[in-house]
Amino acid sequence: MSKGLPEARTDTAMSELVPEPRPKPAVPMKPVSINSNLLGYIGIDTIIEQMRKKTMKTGFDFNIMVVGQSGLGKSTLVNTLFKSQVSRKASSWNREEKIPKTVEIKAIGHVIEEGGVKMKLTVIDTPGFGDQINNENCWEPIEKYINEQYEKFLKEEVNIARKKRIPDTRVHCCLYFISPTGHSLRPLDLEFMKHLSKVVNIIPVIAKADTMTLEEKSEFKQRVRKELEVNGIEFYPQKEFDEDLEDKTENDKIRESMPFAVVGSDKEYQVNGKRVLGRKTPWGIIEVENLHHCEFALLRDFVIRTHLQDLKEVTHNIHYETYRAKRLNDNGGLPPNKKLCASLKRSGEGFILKCWEQVSHRQPFLSSDPPTN
C-alpha cells in the first residue's frame, strides 16, 4: 500500500506539469478578388445616380407650341431660347401668294445634345393665327391638334401589345404671344386662352417688349394680369398645382412676374468687350439676356432650368388624364378592340368577352340574365 501512494502522487504532479494544448491562431484568409465596382459608398441616395444614367440613355421629349399673330418674333424667340435654329423663319407673304384661310399646324423636330444629354425637341408653329379679318373660332384647329395628340397617346396606351416607350407627341407648353399694344388684351387673346387653358399649359409672353418704355411695360403687365384674373383665365403655373410651401413660394414669385416681357434675337454684338445676343437700334443695343433690358432670361430659366419636367408632369397627370377620363366616359369610351375580342373568343372566355363588350358600350347588366358562354 505504501508503494502505491508515491506513484499516485507522481502521476498527479506530471499531469500538472504537462501544459494543455492551445488552439492554433486563426490564419487570416486571403482576400477574394471582387469587382472594384461593387465596393464603395452604399446608400439609398444612389438611386438618383441610377435614375440619371437610365434617363440619359433614353433621353427626353419636349414639345413646345408657339401661338400669336405674324410678325411678333415667335420663331426668333424659340431659336434664342434653345440657342439653335430649331424654328423656321417665317418669310413675309408675297403679293402673288394668298394668306392661308385657316390656321396651319407645322411641327418641326430636332435632337439637341448638350453635356451627354439628348433631348428630342419639337416646335409646333401656328402660321395664320389671328391674321384674318374674321378670326372667329380660329383657335379650333389648334385645340383639335392638341386633342389629336392626346388621342394618339391614348390609343397606344390601351393596346394589348403596346410599345415599351410610347412616343410622346403631346404639347407640353404653349407660348402665347401678346401684341405690345400697351393698352389691353384683345378679345381674341381672351377667347383663345379661355378655351385652351383647359387642355394645355399656357405661358403668356409680351412680344417685342423693346417697343415700350419701362413705365408702359410695367403698366401693361399689371393690366394683363388683372384682365386674366377677371375673366377667370388660369395660366401655368396654376395655384392649385402647388405641391408644398416651397413650390408655392417659388411659383408666387413667377406669377407676379408674368407675363414675361421678352425680346428675341439670334445676332451677336460686341458690348464692353463681350459678345452678347441683342438687337441694334439707333439709340443703342438691347441685350436679350440683360434683365435691365427685358425678361428673356427669366423666361428661359423658368421653361428650361426649373420647370421643364413639371410642365411634362402637369401635361400627363392633369391635362391628359382629364382628356382620358372624358374620352372613356363619353359613349362607352374607346371602340372595341378587335384583336382583344378575337383573342377572347379563341380562348373560350365568352363570359369575360360579354362583360367587356357591355362595359365598353355602357350596357347595364341584368341580374336575372347573366351573360353565358
Side-chain angles (χ1 to χ4, degrees), residues 344-345 347-355 357 369-373:
L344 291 175
K345 287 179 180 178
S347 61
E349 299 178 3
F351 179 79
I352 298 177
L353 175 61
K354 186 68 175 178
C355 294
E357 287 178 344
D369 186 20
T372 56
N373 290 337

Side-chain angles (χ1 to χ4, degrees), residues 6 10 12 16 30 35 106 150 184 201 212 224 236 244-245 289 304 338 354 358 363:
T10 305
T12 305
E16 292 177 355
K30 294 182 180 180
N35 190 354
K106 295 185 177 181
Y150 291 149
S184 60
N201 298 318
M212 297 185 292
V224 168
Y236 180 86
D244 49 34
L245 183 61
E289 297 177 329
I304 299 177
K338 295 181 180 179
K354 186 68 175 178
Q358 290 188 345
Q363 296 176 0

Side-chain angles (χ1 to χ4, degrees), residues 149-160:
Q149 308 317 306
Y150 291 149
E151 181 72 16
K152 188 183 298 184
F153 193 90
L154 178 60
K155 286 184 177 180
E156 289 288 343
E157 198 175 44
V158 299
N159 281 340
I160 300 175

Side-chain angles (χ1 to χ4, degrees), residues 190-246:
L190 294 172
E191 287 297 323
F192 176 86
M193 287 188 277
K194 190 179 296 184
H195 283 82
L196 272 294
S197 62
K198 301 174 184 178
V199 297
V200 71
N201 298 318
I202 290 183
I203 300 178
V205 296
I206 299 173
K208 294 190 174 181
D210 55 327
T211 60
M212 297 185 292
T213 63
L214 295 178
E215 293 77 11
E216 290 174 343
K217 182 175 68 175
S218 178
E219 292 177 2
F220 188 46
K221 289 179 57 149
Q222 293 179 8
R223 195 174 295 115
V224 168
R225 284 198 298 268
K226 186 65 176 178
E227 290 185 0
L228 292 175
E229 182 181 354
V230 170
N231 288 274
I233 298 172
E234 294 186 350
F235 50 84
Y236 180 86
Q238 295 88 336
K239 293 181 180 180
E240 60 267 27
F241 300 156
D242 296 339
E243 296 183 356
D244 49 34
L245 183 61
E246 183 181 355

Side-chain angles (χ1 to χ4, degrees), residues 62 64 77-86 112 119 121 123 296 300 303-304 308:
F62 188 65
I64 183 170
L77 181 71
V78 173
N79 291 338
T80 311
L81 198 62
F82 295 97
K83 292 186 177 181
S84 300
Q85 296 295 325
V86 296
I112 300 177
M119 182 174 71
L121 174 69
V123 180
F296 170 80
R300 180 190 57 194
V303 173
I304 299 177
L308 188 146

